[in-house]
Amino acid sequence: MMKLPNCRNVLTAGAGLLAALSLCLGGCSPQPDALPDKEDTAQEFSQITNDFFQWMASQDYLTQRRILSDPEAEGIEACSPSLPDVSENPWNHQVDMAKSLRFQLDLLDKTALDYPQQNLYDLLSFYADSQMKGEGLESFRLLTFLSPETGLMTKIPRILGQLSFTEPEDVEEYFSLLEDLPRLFNDLVQYIGQQQEISFTSSWLEDAQAACAPYCLDPDHNGLTQSFLLQLDHLPGLSDQERQAYEERHAQAVTEFVIPAYQQLSQALKSLPPRADQEEGLWRREGGREYYEYLVLIMLKL
C-alpha cells in the first residue's frame, strides 16, 4: 500500500492520468469469466491503480479540486485549501513513488490483463518512466517555477480563475488560497536564494517580471479581479448585497495578499544578476539536455 503524503506537493502533472484512472476504476474490473490466474492478476492491478489514484488525488488541494468534486466519496481525505510547496521533498517523493509504481508493474504479467487494463498499464508505465527521468535534475526546478509562460506566477492565477463556485464554501476556500499566496511566494524567493547555480538571461528575467505585472496592479485592474467576477456569476442564489460584500472582500484580499506577494517576487527577479544572452537555452546547461527530454516526455503524454 502506498503511503499518502501531505497535500502540498507541487501541482502534479497528471491531470489526464487522474481522469483516466477515475474512469477505469469504475469500469476496468476483472471479467467474471476470466481464468483464475488472470483474475488474480487483474485484481492485483486494480489494487495498484486504486492505491495510485488515491495518492495522485492527495497531492495538493488544487489538483484534487480540479479532478474530484467529492474526494470523501472516493475514499480520499479532502486536502485543506492551500497552495503548493516548492521544497525539494515533493519532487524527490514523486520520484520515489514512480520507482515503487515501476516495481509493482514489473511484477505483473501484462498479457493477463484485458484490453482497457493493458492501455492503463501502458499509461502508468509511461508516467513511472518519465518521472524517474527527473531524478538528479532537481536544480532545474527553478526554471520551471519561474518560466514566464508556465511558471507559478502565471499558473496559480490561471488555476484560481478556473475554480468553480457552486456554494459559499467554494468562495471561502478561494479566499484561503489568496491568503496563502504570500507564504508560497516567500518560500519561492527563499528557494531562489538557495539555487545560486541556476542563472537567467536578461530577457528571461524581464519576461518573468512582465508576467508578474498584471497582479501587482490595484484591485480594479488586477489580473485576478475579472476572473473572480466571472466566477461569482455562476454562484447560485447570490444576492446583490452578498455579491457586493464578496467583491469588497476580494479587493481587500488583493491589496493585502496578492499585490505584496507579486511585488516581492518581482523584486527578487529584478535583483538577480543576468547571464549572457548567448547562453540562453537548456541545451547549453550541464544536464539541460536531460531535463529538456524530461519536459518533452511530460508534455507529450500527461
Side-chain angles (χ1 to χ4, degrees), residues 153-167:
M153 73 283 279
T154 56
K155 180 179 290 187
I156 295 296
R158 185 169 61 250
I159 295 177
L160 288 176
Q162 293 172 347
L163 295 177
S164 59
F165 294 165
T166 59
E167 54 186 356

Side-chain angles (χ1 to χ4, degrees), residues 131-191:
Q131 289 297 319
M132 287 165 59
K133 286 184 177 295
E135 186 173 22
L137 301 175
E138 293 84 359
S139 63
F140 286 95
R141 297 173 69 237
L142 190 58
L143 298 179
T144 302
F145 291 157
L146 298 181
S147 167
E149 297 82 13
T150 60
L152 291 179
M153 73 283 279
T154 56
K155 180 179 290 187
I156 295 296
R158 185 169 61 250
I159 295 177
L160 288 176
Q162 293 172 347
L163 295 177
S164 59
F165 294 165
T166 59
E167 54 186 356
E169 284 186 6
D170 295 333
V171 187
E172 294 302 321
E173 292 184 356
Y174 172 89
F175 281 122
S176 294
L177 295 176
L178 293 189
E179 292 177 14
D180 195 34
L181 190 59
R183 189 274 312 163
L184 170 63
F185 280 6
N186 183 67
D187 290 350
L188 181 55
V189 169
Q190 296 295 323
Y191 190 75

Side-chain angles (χ1 to χ4, degrees), residues 2 24 26 60 71 87 98 107 134 136 150 176 192 226 242 245 296:
M2 296 183 180
C24 193
D60 62 81
S87 72
L107 294 178
T150 60
S176 294
I192 291 172
Q226 186 60 38
E242 290 170 330
V296 170

Side-chain angles (χ1 to χ4, degrees), residues 25-293:
L25 288 174
C28 291
S29 301
Q31 299 300 316
D33 57 347
L35 296 175
D37 57 338
K38 290 189 175 184
E39 184 176 352
D40 290 344
T41 301
Q43 290 282 8
E44 186 175 354
F45 180 72
S46 294
Q47 185 63 53
I48 292 173
T49 56
N50 183 70
D51 290 345
F52 186 72
F53 173 78
Q54 293 201 26
W55 174 72
M56 286 282 287
S58 302
Q59 289 295 284
D60 62 81
Y61 169 83
L62 291 177
T63 298
Q64 188 178 82
R65 174 73 188 275
R66 293 162 67 198
I67 299 299
L68 301 175
S69 58
D70 187 359
E72 294 182 355
E74 302 287 342
I76 300 172
E77 183 177 357
C79 291
S80 59
S82 61
L83 294 172
D85 182 8
V86 295
S87 72
E88 292 186 7
N89 291 334
W91 176 284
N92 294 332
H93 189 65
Q94 286 185 6
V95 173
D96 291 341
M97 294 302 292
K99 291 180 179 179
S100 175
L101 177 62
R102 178 73 272 169
F103 176 78
Q104 294 178 73
L105 292 175
D106 287 342
L107 294 178
L108 297 179
D109 178 9
K110 176 184 172 181
T111 62
L113 303 174
D114 60 24
Y115 183 72
Q117 286 185 316
Q118 287 187 16
N119 283 337
L120 186 55
Y121 181 101
D122 291 339
L123 187 59
L124 289 172
S125 293
F126 184 91
Y127 172 85
D129 294 342
S130 59
Q131 289 297 319
M132 287 165 59
K133 286 184 177 295
E135 186 173 22
L137 301 175
E138 293 84 359
S139 63
F140 286 95
R141 297 173 69 237
L142 190 58
L143 298 179
T144 302
F145 291 157
L146 298 181
S147 167
E149 297 82 13
T150 60
L152 291 179
M153 73 283 279
T154 56
K155 180 179 290 187
I156 295 296
R158 185 169 61 250
I159 295 177
L160 288 176
Q162 293 172 347
L163 295 177
S164 59
F165 294 165
T166 59
E167 54 186 356
E169 284 186 6
D170 295 333
V171 187
E172 294 302 321
E173 292 184 356
Y174 172 89
F175 281 122
S176 294
L177 295 176
L178 293 189
E179 292 177 14
D180 195 34
L181 190 59
R183 189 274 312 163
L184 170 63
F185 280 6
N186 183 67
D187 290 350
L188 181 55
V189 169
Q190 296 295 323
Y191 190 75
I192 291 172
Q194 297 168 4
Q195 305 299 313
Q196 300 296 331
E197 70 277 11
I198 293 293
S199 57
F200 305 87
T201 63
S202 57
S203 57
W204 180 306
L205 294 175
E206 290 171 2
D207 290 344
Q209 291 177 63
C212 293
Y215 309 103
C216 294
L217 300 176
D218 64 79
D220 289 340
H221 303 92
N222 195 277
L224 281 176
T225 299
Q226 186 60 38
S227 60
F228 179 73
L229 296 179
L230 292 174
Q231 287 163 293
L232 286 181
D233 290 340
H234 298 90
L235 183 61
L238 186 65
S239 68
D240 291 342
Q241 186 177 12
E242 290 170 330
R243 182 185 181 95
Q244 182 178 355
Y246 276 141
E247 291 180 5
E248 292 175 354
R249 186 177 170 188
H250 188 265
Q252 182 178 357
V254 167
T255 300
E256 293 184 7
F257 306 118
V258 177
I259 295 175
Y262 272 93
Q263 287 177 337
Q264 180 189 19
L265 179 58
S266 181
Q267 187 61 38
L269 293 170
K270 186 177 181 180
S271 66
L272 289 175
R275 65 188 294 167
D277 281 342
Q278 62 266 27
E279 296 179 13
E280 178 71 26
L282 286 175
W283 211 260
R284 295 183 177 89
R285 301 173 187 259
E286 183 179 355
R289 174 176 179 175
E290 291 77 10
Y291 188 66
Y292 181 84
E293 292 173 347

